[in-house]
């Protein structure tokens, strides 16, 4: 079972890791496109205003929605590449295998944290959708911004679980077999 998770240094990647990498990169690419679109819209609005035609209606609302959307879409790739800030002041002196096990346990705790965030975002999505809340000027449903947030945090949780299992399973298999 660990060959599904393991990202071997000698050979090709495991199928699950390859699939997760593609999904995470695609998620970040969509986030980048949304931010680019918002930047283009704001630039167009400012240029239009400077030329005397007036600003685009609701540009700040669009930027708010785009930022809320994109932040969550970048998180799975950050989790996959372990791009989070890590402080190893207290574990730097430990032997390599022990340090890797500690990292795997922390990654599992990250997964639990991501899952909690995902659950709360989904709960918020459900409530905001039920209220029918919309932005003031554009009248865009607010729950739309929650969908990518739920996706991003859920995918981050799944990635963290896979990373933790891929780090812990070979160690557990060695201990059981010994």
């Amino acid at each position: 079972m660990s060959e599904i998770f393991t990202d071997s240094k000698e050979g090709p990647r495991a199928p699950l890791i390859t699939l997760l990498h593609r999904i995470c990169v695609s998620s970040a690419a969509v986030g980048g496109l949304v931010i680019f679109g918002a930047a283009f819209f704001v630039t167009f609005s400012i240029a239009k205003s400077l030329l005397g035609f007036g600003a685009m209606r609701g540009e700040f609302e669009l930027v708010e929605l785009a930022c809320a959307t994109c932040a969550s879409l970048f998180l799975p790739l950050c989790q996959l590449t372990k791009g989070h800030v890590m402080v190893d002041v207290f574990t730097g002196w430990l032997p390599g295998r022990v340090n890797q096990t500690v990292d795997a346990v922390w990654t599992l705790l990250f997964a639990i944290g991501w899952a909690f965030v995902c659950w709360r975002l989904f709960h918020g999505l459900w409530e905001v959708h039920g209220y029918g809340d919309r932005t003031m000027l554009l009248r865009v449903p607010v729950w739309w911004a929650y969908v990518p947030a739920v996706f991003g945090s859920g995918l981050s949780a799944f990635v963290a679980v896979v990373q933790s299992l891929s780090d812990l399973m070979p160690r557990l298999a060695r201990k059981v077999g010994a």
Side-chain angles (χ1 to χ4, degrees), residues 34 37-38 41-42 57-67 138:
V34 171
F41 186 77
V42 168
R57 179 179 170 94
E59 67 181 31
F60 66 91
E61 287 181 351
L62 184 70
V63 171
E64 288 174 351
L65 291 172
C67 289
L138 296 176

Side-chain angles (χ1 to χ4, degrees), residues 8-20:
S8 171
K9 302 287 188 238
E10 300 85 35
R13 289 186 189 183
L16 183 58
I17 298 296
T18 302
L19 178 64
L20 281 176

Side-chain angles (χ1 to χ4, degrees), residues 62-133:
L62 184 70
V63 171
E64 288 174 351
L65 291 172
C67 289
T69 297
C70 295
S72 298
L73 292 176
F74 296 132
L75 292 174
L77 184 60
C78 186
Q79 178 63 49
L80 186 70
T81 59
K82 293 193 177 182
H84 303 294
V85 175
M86 294 179 68
V87 180
D88 59 356
V89 173
F90 301 110
T91 61
W93 58 273
L94 294 172
R97 285 190 177 185
V98 174
N99 212 354
Q100 289 172 347
T101 303
V102 169
D103 285 346
V105 170
W106 276 111
T107 302
L108 189 59
L109 291 174
F110 251 89
I112 293 167
W114 286 127
F116 179 77
V117 168
C118 180
W119 169 60
R120 295 308 303 163
L121 283 168
F122 183 77
H123 182 70
L125 181 151
W126 196 259
E127 283 191 2
V128 170
H129 183 271
Y131 296 147
D133 198 12

Side-chain angles (χ1 to χ4, degrees), residues 14-36:
L16 183 58
I17 298 296
T18 302
L19 178 64
L20 281 176
H21 185 265
R22 287 181 182 155
I23 293 170
C24 291
V25 167
S26 298
S27 175
V30 168
L33 287 173
V34 171
I35 283 290
F36 179 76

